[in-house]
Amino acid sequence: MTTKRFALTPGEPAGIGPDLCLLLARDSHPHALVAIASAELLRARAAELGLDITLIDVAPGSWPNQPATANSLYVWDTPLAAPAISGQLNPANADYVLATLTRAGNGCLDGSFAGMITAPVHKGVINEAGISFSGHTEFLAELTGTEQVVMMLATRGLRVALVTTHLPIKEVPAAITAERLQRVTRILHNDLVAKFGIAHPRILVCGLNPHAGEGGHLGREEIEVIEPTLEILRRDGLDLIGPLPADTVFTPKHLEHCDAVLAMYHDQGLPVLKYKGFGAAVNVTLGLPIVRTSVDHGTALDLAGTGRIDTGSLQVALETAYEMSGS
C-alpha cells in the first residue's frame, strides 16, 4: 500500500479536538497524518493529559513520506492568537480555527494531502468574533468553489445521506423539490462510485410522509415529487428503491442489499444512524472535489483536558478518509 498524507485539523482549541489528535498519536497509522495546529497548544494539552507525544515539525517543502511512529505526531505549526485554556472559549482564536481549515483545504486542492479529517469546531464563538460561519461544510464548499454539497453520516454497515439538513420541520416539504432531489441523489450516486469504489450503488430512498404517503392518503409529496423524480433518475441508470416508509427501511431485510439510504430530512435518518454507531460514526461531505470526513460529535468543552473521551468517531473518520482516497 502506498503511503499517503492526510491533514488533521483539531477544530476549537478549547475543546476536545487537540486531545483527540494527541490520543490518536499514541498508536501507529498506515498513513502520514499531519496535524494543522498550534504546536504550543498541543504541547500544553499533552502535558495536561500526561501524554508523552513527540511533535515533529513539517511544512510545505518538507512533507513526510512515511507514517509517524507511535507516540509521535507531524505538526504544521499554525499559531494561536491567544493562549487556549481547556473548556474556555475565546473569540480571539476564531481566525486560527479558520486558518487551519484553509491550510488543510488548499493542501487537498494542490495535492499535498489525499484528504482532510476535521475535529469539531464551535460555530457560536466564531460568529461571536464577527465572522459569518455556518459550519465546516459551507466553509469548505466556498473554499473549493463547490455549489452543492451533500451531508452523509456513516458508521460500519450503514450510510445515510440527507436531502435537507438543518431546517425546521415545517419548512421541509417545500424544500424537497424535484430539482433538489435530483441534484442530491446524483451527487450521492456519483460519490459512491468515485470515492467509495462501488461500481453500481443501490440506494434506498425514504418517503417524506408516514407509510410513504399511503397512496396519497397521508400526503402527496411522494406521488407529485418523489416518485416522478426517481423515475427520471432510474432512466439514467441509477439503482433507486423507493420511496419506502422510513419506519421499515432501516431493517436488515432492506439494508443488507443497499449501499446507502437517502433520507428526506435530518431527524428521519440520523437517529437510526446514531443509535447504530454512536461514538463510532463519521460525517462525510459529498460533492466536494476533495475528501473530507469529520467526527459526528461536538467540542465537549467540559471534557477538554480530562482524558475522559473516546477516539472511536475520529478513528472511523480516518478509516473512511482512507477508503475514499482509494487507500
Side-chain angles (χ1 to χ4, degrees), residues 206-227:
C206 296
L208 172 64
N209 297 294
H211 302 175
E214 205 162 275
H217 296 289
L218 291 176
R220 297 192 56 82
E221 286 84 1
E222 287 79 10
I223 294 172
E224 296 175 359
V225 178
I226 300 175
E227 290 178 0

Side-chain angles (χ1 to χ4, degrees), residues 72 78 144 229 274 291:
S72 61
T78 307
T144 60
T229 302
K274 293 196 174 187
V291 169

Side-chain angles (χ1 to χ4, degrees), residues 53-222:
I53 304 295
T54 300
L55 304 182
I56 304 169
D57 186 52
V58 298
S62 64
W63 294 129
N65 292 314
Q66 59 186 13
T69 57
N71 295 308
S72 61
L73 179 64
Y74 294 122
V75 180
W76 182 6
D77 188 26
T78 307
L80 289 164
I85 301 173
S86 297
Q88 297 184 26
L89 295 172
N90 188 342
N93 284 321
D95 282 327
Y96 157 81
V97 174
L98 300 186
T100 65
L101 297 177
T102 300
R103 283 184 165 186
N106 286 335
C108 290
L109 289 172
D110 69 22
S112 297
F113 305 116
M116 61 185 287
I117 300 96
T118 61
V121 297
H122 194 288
K123 289 181 277 192
V125 76
I126 296 174
N127 283 283
E128 189 178 333
I131 302 169
S132 178
F133 181 82
S134 54
H136 276 114
T137 301
E138 295 81 3
F139 182 86
L140 293 172
E142 183 176 353
L143 182 69
T144 60
T146 306
E147 290 187 11
Q148 178 68 44
V149 293
V150 172
M151 179 188 291
M152 182 177 80
L153 268 74
T155 191
R156 295 179 180 96
L158 179 63
R159 303 181 184 97
V160 178
L162 303 176
V163 176
T164 65
T165 52
H166 301 120
L167 287 178
I169 289 292
K170 67 179 181 179
E171 296 179 14
V172 169
I176 301 174
T177 62
E179 188 274 335
R180 183 182 194 134
L181 181 56
Q182 271 209 50
R183 189 171 66 240
V184 169
T185 308
R186 289 187 190 279
I187 290 172
L188 173 60
H189 170 89
N190 291 341
D191 271 15
L192 288 173
V193 174
K195 293 179 178 174
F196 288 89
I198 303 170
H200 304 289
R202 169 167 284 199
I203 299 168
L204 303 183
V205 182
C206 296
L208 172 64
N209 297 294
H211 302 175
E214 205 162 275
H217 296 289
L218 291 176
R220 297 192 56 82
E221 286 84 1
E222 287 79 10

Side-chain angles (χ1 to χ4, degrees), residues 2-48:
T2 302
T3 297
K4 297 181 179 181
R5 281 187 303 276
F6 291 84
L8 183 60
T9 60
E12 168 54 47
I16 62 170
D19 309 46
L20 289 170
C21 295
L22 291 163
L23 291 169
L24 198 73
R26 295 177 300 178
D27 302 318
S28 59
H29 296 273
H31 296 286
L33 304 178
V34 177
I36 302 178
S38 162
E40 177 187 5
L41 165 65
L42 293 176
R43 277 192 293 268
R45 193 63 59 86
E48 194 172 353

